[in-house]
Amino acid sequence: HAVFADVLAALSVRENVYLVGPAGAGKTTIASQAAEALELPFYSTGAVGMAYQLQGFINAEGKYMETDLYRAYVNGGVYLFDEIDASSAQALLAFNAIAANDLAAFPCGTVKRHPDFVIIAAANTFGAGADAQYVGRSQLDAATLDRFSFVPMDYDERLELAISPNDQWTRHVQAVRKAVRDLKLRHVVSPRASIKGGKLLSAGLSWDRVEQLVLFRNLSPLDVEKVRANLPRRVAA
């Protein structure tokens, strides 16, 4: 991806990264590839609602139940906090204390931060709260945002063409994506549509059927007509 070098450079000096981009842009893939390139373990967590999902807890038998955040903090590694902007304020307060300090309190006691512990936060927004496209996102406080260097990313359409199985279909998807954005419709057209659609075409489904299944699935007939009217003539044909 076009921003991979930026992410890798920041992580190589153990600078935390806030990777922000639309759904399906490849944020999780970049995080795992960066960990592999740095030869560090990779850990990840999705959106969380409770602090114990990050900190762990002591079970009924008195045993500490570790989390991926604890393992990364103690042993080193790239920790991906995916969909951080969909997590609760309570969880983020606990996360802030762990992310900011060289010593952190977990239910098992205070532990020392490993020098190779580094964080990628992946989000669909810049932390300012919900928008027209991502309505379930929370506003993040300044203390959270201050822990990161921001790397904005979008769909890398050259990469999309390289990894998709059908170039003609992929160019059609990209044209639809542009039309959807120009029309400001609440609809995601990610590279997943290119990959899934190419596979379905190779399985023998018709072009029109694949459009219905993966490209226009949540659009009203009126919005579909608007999109078609905004496509280049050679693509719409």
Side-chain angles (χ1 to χ4, degrees):
H1 193 284
V3 304
F4 179 76
D6 292 339
V7 174
L8 189 62
L11 296 181
S12 70
V13 293
R14 305 303 183 254
E15 183 70 26
N16 298 329
V17 171
Y18 189 103
L19 194 57
V20 55
K27 298 183 289 295
T28 301
T29 301
I30 284 181
S32 63
Q33 289 176 341
E36 182 179 359
L38 294 169
E39 298 183 337
L40 291 174
F42 178 65
Y43 305 90
S44 67
T45 303
V48 296
M50 302 296 290
Y52 79 85
Q53 294 174 275
L54 296 172
Q55 297 171 313
F57 62 93
I58 304 296
N59 68 11
E61 298 174 350
K63 180 181 179 182
Y64 173 55
M65 306 305 292
E66 297 180 354
T67 63
D68 274 353
L69 177 57
Y70 173 83
R71 296 183 189 100
Y73 191 89
V74 172
N75 301 314
V78 175
Y79 174 75
L80 171 65
F81 193 163
D82 199 12
E83 298 193 57
I84 188 174
D85 54 346
S87 296
S88 73
Q90 179 203 42
L92 290 173
L93 282 174
F95 177 73
N96 288 346
I98 295 169
N101 302 312
D102 290 333
L103 294 173
F106 287 86
C108 62
T110 299
V111 296
K112 185 176 181 180
R113 177 191 185 116
H114 194 284
D116 287 331
F117 170 67
V118 65
I119 302 164
I120 297 178
N124 297 128
T125 68
F126 282 89
D131 58 25
Q133 191 78 289
Y134 300 101
V135 298
R137 298 302 184 262
S138 303
Q139 184 174 357
L140 305 182
D141 65 29
T144 301
L145 299 176
D146 191 50
R147 278 132 173 92
F148 298 95
S149 296
F150 278 67
V151 179
M153 64 180 293
D154 202 348
Y155 303 124
D156 187 330
E157 294 195 335
R158 290 181 298 178
L159 177 60
E160 184 180 9
L161 274 167
I163 64 176
S164 301
N166 185 310
D167 286 359
Q168 181 184 10
W169 170 256
T170 299
R171 290 190 175 92
H172 178 57
V173 170
Q174 292 173 350
V176 169
R177 179 183 301 139
K178 183 179 185 305
V180 165
R181 286 181 169 180
D182 291 345
L183 292 165
K184 295 180 169 57
L185 300 178
R186 279 187 57 192
H187 185 62
V188 173
V189 183
S190 79
R192 295 185 183 115
S194 294
I195 296 169
K196 292 178 181 178
K199 289 179 179 179
L200 292 174
L201 288 169
S202 69
L205 293 186
S206 70
W207 186 280
D208 289 345
R209 184 58 177 154
V210 174
E211 281 188 330
Q212 294 171 8
L213 293 176
V214 302
L215 201 49
F216 298 140
R217 62 198 181 282
N218 296 324
L219 287 179
S220 69
L222 179 59
D223 284 340
V224 172
E225 288 306 311
K226 290 179 181 179
V227 170
R228 291 192 187 281
N230 277 269
L231 295 177
R233 182 169 304 187
R234 62 182 179 82
V235 176

